[in-house]
Structures are given as C-alpha cells and as structure tokens.
Amino acid sequence: MKLYSRPLSPYSARVRVALYHKGIDVEYVVPEMGWSKDPGFLAVSALGRIPVLVLDDGTTLVESGPIVEYLDDARPEPAMRPADPAARARLRAFTQIVEHDVMATMMTVFGQVYAKQDHAAAMARLTEGLRHTERMLEETPGVTIADAMLVPTRFNLDSLQRFAGMPGLLDPFPKIEAYRKKIDATPALARVWRELEEGLVAFMAWLAKQPAPQ
Ligand SMILES: N[C@@H](CCC(=O)N[C@@H](CS)C(=O)NCC(=O)O)C(=O)O
C-alpha cells in the first residue's frame, strides 16, 4: 500500500496514527508543495487532497475518516472501535464532533487570523466545539479512532495558542489540556506528534519565504 501524506497535514496524521498503532507498513509519498493542482497528483486523486491510500490492487481511498475505518476493518487487531453497536456509534459521534466542530472550525480560524480577517464568529463556534469535546472526552485505554482525530486536533490547538496570540485557550478545558499526557505515553500517538512538530518547523521555514498577505 502507498499513503500520500505530509508530516503537518492533520488529516494525514490521523491515518498515520492507525498505521503506526496497527504496525502496518506502507510506502509513504510526500507530495511537493502545490500538490493539489499538480496534474500527476490529480490523476491519483481528483479531489487534489491528502491523505490518499492506494491499495496493492490499485484501489484509491480518500477521506481520512473512512481510510482509518478501512484499516480497522482490513486489519482488525488491535481494534480501534468497540464491538458493541451503541458504543461504536457513540465513538463515531464523538470523533465527528471533534472533526467538524473543532478541527474544521480551527482551520477556518487559522485562515482568518493569517489573512487578518475578523474571526470572532469562527472563534465562538470553536469554543462551543471545545465545550462539547471537553464534556464527551473519556479516558479510554488503547488507541481508538477518536485518538486518531484527537492527536492532530490537540497539536493544532497548541499551534493556535502559540501563533494566533491565544495563550490560555485551553484553560477552561482541563480534560483536553491533559489529553497531551496520553499522547506522550502512547508510542503511536507520540510518534505522530513528533512528526507534526517536525512538519511545523519545515512549514514555518517555507512560510517565511512567502510574500506577506495583503
Ligand atoms: N476531509 C478531508 C480533508 C483533507 C484535507 O483537507 N487535506 C488537506 C491537507 S491537510 C489538503 O490536501 N489540502 C489541499 C487543498 O485542499 O488544496 C479528509 O479528512 O481527508
């Protein structure tokens, strides 16, 4: 199998959590900057987005959530979802809330802060998403599909605090703040966190060379 992925891409990081946790070896392809408009990459995935998982028979899978679930179906051990249908639905609901209400909203905030636009409405939505996440976050043993989503989300929350002048953003959310301890204590999660850090350093160096936004 082949995974198109970049170290700092949160959605790619989500898939790498599953691969590392399950000990699945794949070939990693790191597309060049500007990949999303590259005709070679568009031939692999018309969406122009990473991650993309290409199976050994050439089947192409896109969208990080379904890719993680594919890996959990194809290689069930160690399982990343409970067998009980209701518990499984609850876990998927939590994962989706983190994805849509926190991660996606945070990406909007990042874009607006960078473009020096008003981000008050997106920040209000993000705070609401964090409230739901804090309420629903449970200490779970092992690594679940929610952890795959939470690691890059928690990383980006640190970046938002650091780079967008929002220190203390997580102060009202002690469970989200403390989730970092699980990351440090869990090899697959810690590995992805390190890759995100390395990717951020490389991205900041690239960004410094770009023209400032008008
Ligand atoms: N919903 C998609 C989001 C993927 C996504 O937005 N990937 C970003 C990198 S983190 C990307 O490829 N962006 C390029 C673009 O949109 O032009 C998923 O979960 O895989």
Side-chain angles (χ1 to χ4, degrees), residues 161-176:
Q161 296 189 93
R162 240 171 99 193
F163 298 113
M166 297 177 189
L169 176 70
L170 292 184
D171 287 355
F173 308 110
K175 286 202 278 178
I176 301 174

Side-chain angles (χ1 to χ4, degrees), residues 34 45 132 145 168 172 176 184:
S45 171
H132 291 309
I145 58 168
I176 301 174
D184 289 343

Side-chain angles (χ1 to χ4, degrees), residues 2-17 19-20 26-33 35 41 44 49-54 67 192 195-196:
K2 205 188 276 189
L3 182 73
Y4 288 78
S5 160
R6 292 180 66 81
L8 188 58
S9 155
Y11 300 101
S12 305
R14 182 182 190 180
V15 174
R16 296 199 306 274
V17 166
L19 291 170
Y20 299 161
V26 301
E27 179 190 340
Y28 291 93
V29 183
V30 181
E32 293 290 324
M33 276 296 185
W35 74 84
F41 181 68
V44 176
R49 295 200 299 240
I50 51 172
V52 180
L53 184 70
V54 183
I67 295 174
V192 172
E195 291 173 348
L196 288 163

Side-chain angles (χ1 to χ4, degrees), residues 54-77:
V54 183
L55 307 187
D56 291 340
D57 67 2
T59 304
T60 294
L61 301 182
V62 296
E63 289 296 311
S64 56
I67 295 174
V68 168
E69 293 198 18
Y70 163 78
L71 291 169
D72 203 33
D73 288 333
R75 307 276 184 99
E77 293 298 330

